């Protein structure tokens, strides 16, 4: 969950991207940058280490991103480095995604299953959720063997739990009430 600071920075970037009609491209680029920092956490540590001077940090940001990302995003990363907020990049990417999805009519859905869903199942669930929400669906499948079977669907602030684990827990509760 993004903090107020992260939301404000994300909103600023989003407003600039929207004004320039590059909000979708900026979303993809910001997500790629966030993923890069997740893949290489030591690089993020370098940019957040107080003992390394700002000029050196900005030099490394330029070396990695200049010419590879939109100049607005490069300036955003340099600003975050200068203001010592680069450690919040993941939260900012999440907040930007939320703003972009809201205005674009996109809904993020996570389906938690015991085994990975195949393409046909993913498409069927995507279509079902699009019908329910009236929005374009971005579906992510998360595998968790502890659900045993069925599916747990997380959409916006709601959760639909149709897993075997949940059914067994409900049955245990009912049996406990009968016996007690």
């Amino acid at each position: 969950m993004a903090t107020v600071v992260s939301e404000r920075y994300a909103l600023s970037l989003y407003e600039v991207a929207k004004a320039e009609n590059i909000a979708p491209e900026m979303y993809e680029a910001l997500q790629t940058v966030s993923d890069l920092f997740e893949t290489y956490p030591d690089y993020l540590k370098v940019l957040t280490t107080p003992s390394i001077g700002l000029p050196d940090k900005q030099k490394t940001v330029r070396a990695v991103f200049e010419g590879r990302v939109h100049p607005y995003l490069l300036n955003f990363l340099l600003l975050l480095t200068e203001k010592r907020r680069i450690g919040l990049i993941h939260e900012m990417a999440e907040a930007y995604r939320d703003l972009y999805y809201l205005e674009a009519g996109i809904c993020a859905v996570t389906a938690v299953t015991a085994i990975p869903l195949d393409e046909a199942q993913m498409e069927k669930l995507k279509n079902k959720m699009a019908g329910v929400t009236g929005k374009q669906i971005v579906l992510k499948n998360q595998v968790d063997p502890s659900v045993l079977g069925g599916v747990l669907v997380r959409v916006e602030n709601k959760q639909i739990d149709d897993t075997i684990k949940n059914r067994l827990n409900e049955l245990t509760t009912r049996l406990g009430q009968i016996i007690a």
Side-chain angles (χ1 to χ4, degrees), residues 115-127:
I115 59 172
L117 295 174
D118 62 32
E119 285 300 318
Q121 292 168 322
M122 291 282 283
E123 196 60 36
K124 186 176 178 182
L125 183 55
K126 216 178 197 182
N127 292 336

Side-chain angles (χ1 to χ4, degrees), residues 80-155:
L80 294 179
T81 304
E82 178 185 336
K83 298 295 183 183
R84 298 180 183 169
R85 303 282 193 200
I86 195 75
L88 301 173
I89 190 71
H90 303 302
E91 290 181 11
M92 291 176 194
E94 181 181 306
Y96 185 100
R97 180 202 65 212
D98 293 345
L99 290 165
Y100 172 63
Y101 278 12
L102 180 66
E103 287 204 14
I106 300 171
C107 184
V109 175
T110 302
V112 182
T113 56
I115 59 172
L117 295 174
D118 62 32
E119 285 300 318
Q121 292 168 322
M122 291 282 283
E123 196 60 36
K124 186 176 178 182
L125 183 55
K126 216 178 197 182
N127 292 336
K128 178 77 170 173
M129 295 311 300
V132 170
T133 63
K135 297 179 180 181
Q136 180 184 343
I137 301 298
V138 174
L139 181 62
K140 183 173 92 173
N141 184 208
Q142 186 178 4
V143 177
D144 180 1
S146 74
V147 299
L148 303 177
V151 64
L152 169 67
V153 178
R154 294 186 186 116
V155 55

Side-chain angles (χ1 to χ4, degrees), residues 5-91:
V5 171
S6 298
E7 289 172 353
R8 287 191 181 163
Y9 276 92
L11 178 61
S12 297
L13 181 63
Y14 181 73
E15 286 176 345
V16 168
K18 186 176 167 190
E20 296 292 324
N21 292 319
I22 57 170
E25 295 86 358
M26 189 66 71
Y27 164 70
E28 293 295 330
L30 183 58
Q31 193 60 52
T32 301
V33 168
S34 178
D35 291 346
L36 178 102
F37 281 120
E38 196 169 305
T39 304
Y40 301 101
D42 289 342
Y43 180 56
L44 190 57
K45 279 184 187 175
V46 166
L47 297 178
T48 58
T49 300
S51 62
I52 298 174
L54 178 61
D56 291 333
K57 291 177 184 178
Q58 289 180 325
K59 185 178 176 183
T60 187
V61 168
R62 286 185 194 284
V64 172
F65 295 108
E66 197 164 34
R68 293 180 180 93
V69 298
H70 193 281
Y72 290 151
L73 183 54
L74 176 62
N75 288 338
F76 182 71
L77 295 171
L78 291 168
L79 177 69
L80 294 179
T81 304
E82 178 185 336
K83 298 295 183 183
R84 298 180 183 169
R85 303 282 193 200
I86 195 75
L88 301 173
I89 190 71
H90 303 302
E91 290 181 11

